[in-house]
Amino acid sequence: MRIGKTAPDFELPDHSGELRALSDLTASGPVVLFFYPAANSPICTAEACHFRDLGTEFDRFGAQRVGISTDTRDRNHHFALQRSFDFPLLSDPDGAVAEQFGVRRGGWLTRRRRLRELERGHSNAGRRGYVRQLLSVKRTTFVIDRHRVVRMTVRSERGHVHATKALEYLRYLS
C-alpha cells in the first residue's frame, strides 16, 4: 500500500469478538494501523506495549491505534488481556487483509499442508510451518486519515520504531 492511495475497507473481528470496519474507525479521525506477525512473540509484544504506553500521545492527536495479525481471535484476546491493551487487536487468520495492504509474506504453509508433511515423515515440517506462520506478515504500520488515504508507512522489523515514527508524523501534521 503506497502513500496517497486509498486503503481498502475491511471488516474483521477484534479480540473481544466485535466486528470492526476501517471506514467506521476512520470516521472519527486518523487510524494508526499496525500489522504484527504473532501475538506474544518478544518483538511483537514490545511493539504493541509501546503503542499502549504512548496512548495519551496518540489521543492528543485524535488518532486511534489498531493492531492486526493473522492470529486467531482467541489468541489476540489472551494477548490483549495479558498486556492490558486499550486498543483493538484484529484477527485476520487467512491473511486476506494483509494481502490487500501488501504486507503478507509469500510461501507460508497451511495447517493442512503442514500436517500432510508431518504424516509423510518430514522432520522439520512442523518447525518450518511454525516459523513461516510467525513470519506471515511483514511488520508494517500505516497512518490512515479520515478519508482512508494512507499518509505514512513504517516498514521495519524493529518493533520499537513503529509507534515513535507514527507519532512523529502526527506531530508534524499538527
Side-chain angles (χ1 to χ4, degrees):
M1 182 66 42
R2 291 189 176 153
I3 294 173
K5 297 287 185 182
T6 301
D9 198 12
F10 61 81
E11 189 174 70
L12 291 174
D14 70 10
H15 63 274
S16 64
E18 182 181 340
L19 285 176
R20 304 283 187 125
L22 182 60
S23 55
D24 293 338
L25 293 166
T26 56
S28 60
V31 170
V32 178
L33 185 68
F34 66 98
F35 286 85
Y36 60 99
N40 286 318
S41 66
I43 297 172
C44 293
T45 299
E47 176 186 20
C49 287
H50 197 210
F51 273 104
R52 178 200 60 205
D53 297 344
L54 294 174
T56 55
E57 293 290 316
F58 283 104
D59 290 345
R60 190 173 302 159
F61 299 106
Q64 296 181 69
R65 299 152 291 146
V66 179
I68 297 183
S69 76
T70 56
D71 291 314
T72 64
R73 188 197 69 79
D74 290 339
R75 186 171 171 99
N76 278 334
H77 180 72
H78 177 73
F79 186 43
L81 288 178
Q82 186 180 37
R83 303 295 177 175
S84 302
F85 294 137
D86 59 344
F87 53 87
L89 299 178
L90 307 182
S91 182
D92 179 27
D94 62 359
V97 173
E99 193 159 320
Q100 287 179 311
F101 276 80
V103 299
R104 183 172 176 184
R105 292 185 195 270
W108 64 320
L109 292 174
T110 63
R111 185 172 193 270
R112 184 177 300 151
R113 182 173 169 199
R114 205 166 43 240
L115 290 174
R116 270 194 311 243
E117 285 189 6
L118 286 171
E119 288 171 359
R120 291 181 187 150
H122 294 96
S123 61
N124 290 327
R127 190 170 356 153
R128 184 174 65 242
Y130 180 70
V131 169
R132 285 187 180 161
Q133 183 181 352
L134 280 178
L135 300 176
S136 60
V137 296
K138 299 171 191 167
R139 187 179 316 281
T140 310
T141 299
F142 298 94
V143 176
I144 303 169
D145 71 14
R146 63 178 5 161
H147 304 290
R148 287 198 354 250
V149 175
V150 175
R151 295 297 176 189
M152 184 223 183
T153 60
V154 179
R155 298 178 195 277
S156 174
E157 288 304 320
R158 296 183 353 200
H160 67 279
V161 303
H162 290 259
T164 303
K165 287 192 181 274
L167 265 176
E168 286 173 3
Y169 181 75
L170 291 169
R171 279 189 197 110
Y172 169 77
L173 285 181
S174 60

